[in-house]
Amino acid sequence: MNMLPHRLRALLPGRADLAAMRRDPRRDLLAGLTVAIVALPLALGFGVSSGLGAEAGLATAVVAGAVAALFGGSNLQVSGPTGAMTVVLVPIVARYGPSGVLTVGLIAGLIVIGLALARAGRYMAYIPASVVEGFTLGIALVIGLQQVPNALGVPKPEGERVLEVTWRAVGEFVQAPNWTALGLALGVAALMLGGARWRPTIPFSIVAVIAATVVAQLLHLDEATPIGALPAGLPAPSLDFVDPTRLGSLIAPAMAVAALAALESLLSAQVADGMTVGQKHDPDRELFGQGLANLAAPLFGGVPATGAIARTAVNVRTGATSRLAALTHAAVLAVIVLAASPLVSKIPLAALAGVLLATAVRMVEVGSLRAMAKATRSDAVVLVLTAVATLVLDLVYAVVIGFVVAGALALRAVAKQARLAETDFTADLPGEHSAEEHALLAEHIVAYRIDGPLFFAAAHRFLLELSEVADVRVVILRMSRVTTVDATGALVLKDVVQKLQRRGIAVMTSGIRPGQRQALDSVGALDLLRLDGREFATTPEAIAAARAHLHGAGVLTPAPAPHPRTTAEEPAR
C-alpha cells in the first residue's frame, strides 16, 4: 500500500527540473521557437492524415507537448502528433470514427501510466536495432503512401489498407488529373529536401508551406484545396466523446496505441541522450509523462501523441538544455492557434502532403539500412520482414513479429556458437588473477572480459555497466570470448566507445575474432579504434599500449590482427 505513493512521487517533477530551466533560459526559448516553426506544418499535416483534421494536430502539439514536457523523463524530448501514430490511427478512424479515436487515446494514456508505475520502461531497451530500422523504414513508406491522395488533389478513397487507398487514388487521378496539387506537393517536397542540403539550419518546411500558400492565393489556384476554417483557440475540455457501450471493443486498438506511444517515445528519448553529453532520460518517468499527455490531449480534441524524434533532434541541435524549450514550443503553437488561425486555414492540403512526403524521405537513413543489411544475414532478414509487416499488416504486429524472429535467430546463433566456447578460447591475460587486476586498477586501467554472445538481449546491460565506469583513464575490452555479435551489439559497442572517449577515457580492444569483424565494421565500430591504433591481437599487448599511453610514450602501434584460424561459421577443431 505504501509502495505506490512512493513510486508515484518518484515519477513527478522535482526541484532539479526547475533549476535546470533557470540555468540558460535564453537558449531554451530560442530553441523552443525554432522547434515550433518546424512543428507547425508537421502538426497540421499529421492531423489531416489522421482523419481528424488540422485542428486535432494543433491541439495535440499544444496540449500533449506541454504536458509531456512538464512530466516526461527527458529534458530534451519534444512530443506531439507523429507519423507512426498517424499510421495506426487511420484504420481506427475508419472503423470507429473520431469519437472512437479520442476514447482510444484516453484508454492508451491510462495503459501507459500503468506501464510507468510497473517500471516497464527499462525493458523497451531490449528491442533489436534491426527491428527498429525495419520499423522506421516501414513507417516512412506508409507515411509517404498516405499522402498520395492529397498530393494528387483527389478525395481520399475509402479503405483501411494504405496500398489499396493509394491504388484507388492513382486511378482517380488518371481519370481527372489535378496538376496544380501535384505541382505544389512536389515543389514543397523538393524545396525541403534541397534546402536541407544547402542550408540545414533554415526551417525550409515552413518556408515551403508559406511559398505554396502565397502562390495559391496570388494565382487564384482553385484546384489547390485549402485546409479550411480552424477554430480560433482550443475547445473547452470535455468527455462527451466517451461512449461506455463501446469501451470493450476499443481496448485492443488502445493497447496498440499505448505500445506505440511507449516504444516511439523511449526511442526518441534515447536518440536525444545519444546526441548530447551528460543527459540521461528516466524511462519510467518518460512513460508517465506520455501517459498523462495522452490523457489530456483527447479532452481538447487531440489525437494520441508520442515523443517526436525529428522535432527532438531539432531541439537538441539548436542548443536546448532543459524542458523549458519543449514548453516554449507548445506555447508558441498555442499563440499561433489563437492569433493566426485565419492565415493557417488557407494553406493548401497539397503543400502539407509535400511536407510529409519530404519527411518520409528524410526518415530513411540509407547508411544505417546498408550497415544493418551488411552486419549479419539475420539482421537483414529481420529488417526486411519488419518493414514489410509494417507496410502490409500493422505497426505493433510488425514489432512483435520482428522481435520474435530476431529472438529465434539469436538463439540459433547462440546454439551454433555454444560448442566453440571451450575449444576456441586461449586465455590472453597473464595470470588472470585478482592481483593483476588490482595492479591495473591502481594504474587507472580496467580490463573488461566479455563472455558469450553480444546481441540485443545482453548488449544494453553491457552498455549500462561500462558507461558508468569511474576513476579510470583506459578501458580495455577483451573480446576473445565473444561468441557472436549482431548489429545491435555492434551499435552498442560503438556507443560505449564514443561515450567513454567523450569523457577522455581511452578505449582499446583485444582478441577480436574474424567472424565478429563484419558486424563491427558495418556500423563503424572498428573505425573508432583503428584511427588511434587501439586494436590489438592479445590483451598483454593492449595492456602494454595502455601503460605507454598513460606515460605519454608517443603513438600507439597496433599489433597485427590474429590469424583467422577459426571463424564463427566454422566448427571448432
Side-chain angles (χ1 to χ4, degrees), residues 148-149 154-160 164-170 172:
V148 169
V154 301
K156 185 178 179 180
E158 295 292 329
E160 295 183 16
E164 178 187 359
V165 171
T166 302
W167 179 253
R168 290 180 180 176
V170 171
E172 291 186 24

Side-chain angles (χ1 to χ4, degrees), residues 119-488:
R119 297 181 179 177
R122 70 193 78 176
Y123 300 110
M124 294 293 178
Y126 293 102
I127 296 178
S130 52
V131 174
V132 175
E133 290 293 340
F135 177 73
T136 305
L137 175 60
I139 289 171
L141 293 172
V142 174
I143 291 173
L145 292 173
Q146 281 181 343
Q147 308 318 308
V148 169
N150 283 337
L152 298 179
V154 301
K156 185 178 179 180
E158 295 292 329
E160 295 183 16
R161 300 297 177 190
V162 67
L163 291 173
E164 178 187 359
V165 171
T166 302
W167 179 253
R168 290 180 180 176
V170 171
E172 291 186 24
F173 178 81
V174 170
Q175 294 179 1
N178 185 340
W179 300 108
T180 300
L182 181 60
L184 286 175
L186 295 180
V188 167
L191 182 57
M192 282 183 62
L193 295 173
R197 287 175 173 267
W198 177 54
R199 288 285 190 274
T201 56
I202 299 176
F204 276 96
S205 57
I206 196 71
V207 172
V209 167
I210 291 173
T213 306
V214 170
V215 168
Q217 292 297 310
L218 291 179
L219 300 181
H220 303 289
L221 301 177
D222 296 332
E223 292 179 316
T225 307
I227 291 175
L230 294 173
L234 294 174
S238 172
L239 283 171
D240 291 344
F241 56 85
V242 176
D243 182 357
T245 62
R246 302 177 63 189
L247 292 179
S249 62
L250 296 174
I251 295 295
M255 292 180 67
V257 168
L260 179 60
L263 172 64
E264 189 173 13
S265 298
L266 292 176
L267 286 175
S268 179
Q270 192 171 335
V271 168
D273 289 352
M275 295 176 66
T276 60
V277 178
Q279 291 282 357
K280 188 175 181 181
H281 75 283
D282 181 333
D284 293 324
R285 189 176 162 192
E286 180 60 29
L287 290 181
F288 185 71
Q290 294 297 335
L292 289 179
N294 280 294
L295 272 181
L299 304 180
F300 297 88
V303 297
T306 74
I309 295 177
R311 277 156 274 177
T312 299
V314 171
N315 197 37
V316 175
R317 290 183 186 131
T318 49
T321 61
S322 76
R323 55 192 71 227
L324 178 61
L327 285 169
T328 302
H329 136 270
V332 171
L333 290 176
V335 171
I336 292 173
V337 171
L338 292 170
S341 57
L343 296 176
V344 172
S345 66
K346 299 181 185 300
I347 296 174
L349 290 172
L352 295 180
V355 170
L356 299 188
L357 284 171
T359 301
V361 171
R362 290 165 66 174
M363 285 176 66
V364 180
E365 295 284 349
V366 177
S368 296
L369 293 175
R370 188 183 294 119
M372 204 65 55
K374 289 169 60 179
T376 67
R377 188 178 303 170
S378 297
D379 286 306
V381 168
V382 172
L383 188 153
V384 172
L385 185 63
T386 306
V388 171
T390 302
L391 183 62
V392 176
L393 298 175
D394 176 274
L395 268 70
V396 177
Y397 285 142
V399 171
V400 171
I401 291 170
F403 192 85
V404 169
V405 173
L409 293 174
L411 290 173
R412 176 174 172 268
V414 171
K416 287 176 63 179
Q417 294 297 327
R419 63 180 182 276
L420 301 180
E422 294 182 4
T423 57
D424 195 39
F425 171 67
T426 303
D428 58 0
L429 178 60
E432 293 264 355
H433 300 309
S434 59
E436 175 71 13
E437 294 171 358
H438 281 106
L440 290 175
L441 286 172
E443 300 176 66
H444 302 286
I445 301 171
V446 63
Y448 280 93
R449 186 182 71 203
I450 309 171
D451 290 328
L454 185 61
F455 67 109
F456 68 89
H460 289 278
R461 185 177 68 249
F462 161 72
L463 169 62
L464 287 174
E465 291 175 357
L466 261 185
S467 61
E468 299 297 330
V469 68
D471 197 28
V472 167
R473 294 178 62 187
V474 180
V475 169
I476 300 171
L477 302 179
R478 301 165 55 202
M479 299 185 64
S480 58
R481 284 191 178 181
V482 175
T483 55
T484 186
V485 180
D486 72 350
T488 307

